[in-house]
């Protein structure tokens, strides 16, 4: 039950992180730079946790030599997932950019559990668990499409040109939809990898630190190449609210929570519980307009979607 609570809390924090990083993105005028700053802050926060808990930052040569190569790439997969969402958005719109990765996350997490990939604990795939995954996906559809599709339609009507208002060609969108599913699958793989890394190192804190460190280094390289330099000066303006800096802290706690949960309850249930927390947190942020987010009223059909999520979690957990 404690693991489930951890999943709900870290999932609830993700929409807060999104709102914070969205504000930071407007300040630095670059999604990649805002992600780089967020990852860097998260890495420093995890360094502080390791120092305060008297855990070393280094890893023994024996551990590096005897572990498979994939155990160290969780941070890279996190960056791919993050960057993928940025790339997918203009091609798929808001709703599908959420839905397609969720399909990938649910599918991959179930496969990981069933086959024990990435040295994960096996949880055989049953008919009831599959139904639970479908119910969860239905809940996500009810919550996301209610607001995202309508918001996207309003934006298209008010800003798009006549050509841009034409319906998307379903054939041309297919490669991007597949890419969205793949990024979701990579996200689930990252969750499993970081969970196993935490077991190997006997420290979910150190596993989260390594994941964030690898992701941070990758983002610094990407930003230096893609942005033709690293421009972070606007982020240090005194006019900015203090909370624009804590997105990385929330993100690091998210990765830490996943590394703690996976060995205890499996990748599939971890992904689903975190997803439930994320959807619930998103509705709260939208309803109250926290952290500068646009205020959006919650509709009854979205509450029905949350109920479907709860039912899906129960089916996956009990069966």
């Amino acid at each position: 039950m404690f693991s489930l609570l951890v999943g709900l809390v870290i999932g609830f924090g993700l929409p807060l992180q999104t709102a914070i990083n969205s504000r930071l993105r407007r300040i630095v005028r670059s999604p990649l730079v805002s992600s780089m700053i967020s990852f860097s802050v998260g890495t420093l926060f995890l360094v502080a946790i390791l120092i305060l808990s008297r855990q070393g930052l280094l890893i023994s040569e024996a551990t590096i030599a005897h572990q498979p190569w994939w155990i160290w790439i969780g941070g890279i997969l996190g960056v791919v997932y993050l960057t993928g969402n940025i790339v997918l958005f203009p091609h798929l719109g808001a709703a599908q950019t959420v839905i397609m990765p969720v399909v990938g996350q649910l599918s991959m997490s179930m496969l990981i559990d069933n086959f024990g990939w990435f040295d994960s604990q096996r949880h055989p795939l049953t008919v009831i668990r599959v139904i639970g995954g479908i119910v969860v996906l239905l809940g996500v559809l009810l919550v996301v499409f209610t607001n995202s599709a309508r918001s996207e339609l309003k934006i298209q009507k008010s800003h798009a040109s006549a050509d841009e208002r034409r319906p998307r060609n379903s054939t041309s969108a297919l490669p991007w939809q597949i890419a969205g599913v793949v990024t979701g699958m990579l996200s689930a793989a990252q969750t499993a990898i970081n969970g196993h890394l935490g077991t190997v190192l006997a420290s979910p804190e150190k596993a989260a630190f390594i994941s964030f460190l690898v992701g941070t280094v990758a983002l610094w390289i990407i930003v230096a190449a893609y942005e033709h330099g690293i421009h972070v000066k606007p982020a240090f303006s005194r006019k900015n609210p203090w909370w624009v800096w804590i997105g990385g802290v929330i993100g690091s706690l998210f990765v830490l929570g996943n590394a703690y949960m996976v060995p205890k309850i499996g990748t599939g249930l971890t992904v689903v519980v975190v997803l439930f927390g994320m959807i619930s947190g998103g509705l709260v942020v939208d309803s109250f307009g926290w952290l500068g987010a646009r205020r959006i009223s919650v509709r009854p059909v979205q509450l029905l979607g949350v109920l479907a999520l709860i039912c899906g979690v129960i089916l996956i957990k009990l069966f």
Side-chain angles (χ1 to χ4, degrees), residues 180-251:
V181 173
V182 171
T183 59
M185 295 177 74
L186 294 179
S187 174
Q190 179 200 20
T191 299
I193 289 170
N194 288 342
H196 180 58
L197 181 60
T199 300
V200 168
L201 301 177
S203 171
E205 297 88 354
K206 186 172 289 188
F209 163 69
I210 292 173
S211 180
F212 252 73
L213 178 62
V214 171
T216 298
V217 172
L219 276 169
W220 276 80
I221 294 173
I222 292 171
V223 168
Y226 184 77
E227 301 282 346
H228 305 293
I230 298 174
H231 311 286
V232 298
K233 187 176 179 180
F236 290 91
S237 172
R238 293 184 178 181
K239 297 179 181 179
N240 301 326
W242 62 270
W243 46 260
V244 297
W245 294 98
I246 66 172
V249 174
I250 297 174

Side-chain angles (χ1 to χ4, degrees), residues 40 44 46 50 62 71 78-79 93 95-96 106 143 160-161 192 198 209 212 240 244 260 280 287 319:
S40 300
L44 294 174
L46 289 167
L50 290 175
I71 203 172
V79 171
Q96 290 195 59
L106 290 174
V143 174
S161 64
F209 163 69
F212 252 73
N240 301 326
V244 297
Y260 169 80
S280 302
S287 180
F319 301 93

Side-chain angles (χ1 to χ4, degrees), residues 3 109 112-113 120-123 129 191-192 258 260-273 317:
S3 296
S109 63
I112 290 172
D113 275 356
S120 298
Q121 182 181 354
R122 291 194 63 183
H123 296 272
R129 286 172 63 84
T191 299
N258 276 293
Y260 169 80
M261 292 169 61
V262 169
K264 297 183 180 297
I265 64 175
T267 304
L269 188 56
T270 296
V271 168
V272 171
V273 172
K317 171 62 178 175

Side-chain angles (χ1 to χ4, degrees), residues 7-16 18 81 94-95 97-103 105-106 135-148 254 270-288 290 296-310 313:
L8 291 174
V9 171
I10 64 175
F12 191 93
L14 273 185
L16 300 178
T18 301
Y81 175 70
T97 300
V98 174
I99 295 299
M100 293 304 158
V102 167
V103 171
Q105 287 174 327
L106 290 174
V135 171
V136 168
L137 181 59
L138 175 62
V140 175
L141 288 168
L142 289 174
V143 174
V144 173
F145 268 108
T146 301
N147 276 348
S148 297
F254 173 78
T270 296
V271 168
V272 171
V273 172
V274 170
L275 180 62
F276 173 68
M278 180 182 71
I279 293 294
S280 302
L283 291 179
V284 172
V285 171
D286 284 348
S287 180
F288 293 98
W290 287 350
I296 304 172
S297 59
V298 177
R299 294 177 170 82
V301 67
Q302 292 178 298
L303 298 179
L304 181 62
V306 173
L307 179 60
L309 280 166
I310 295 174
V313 170

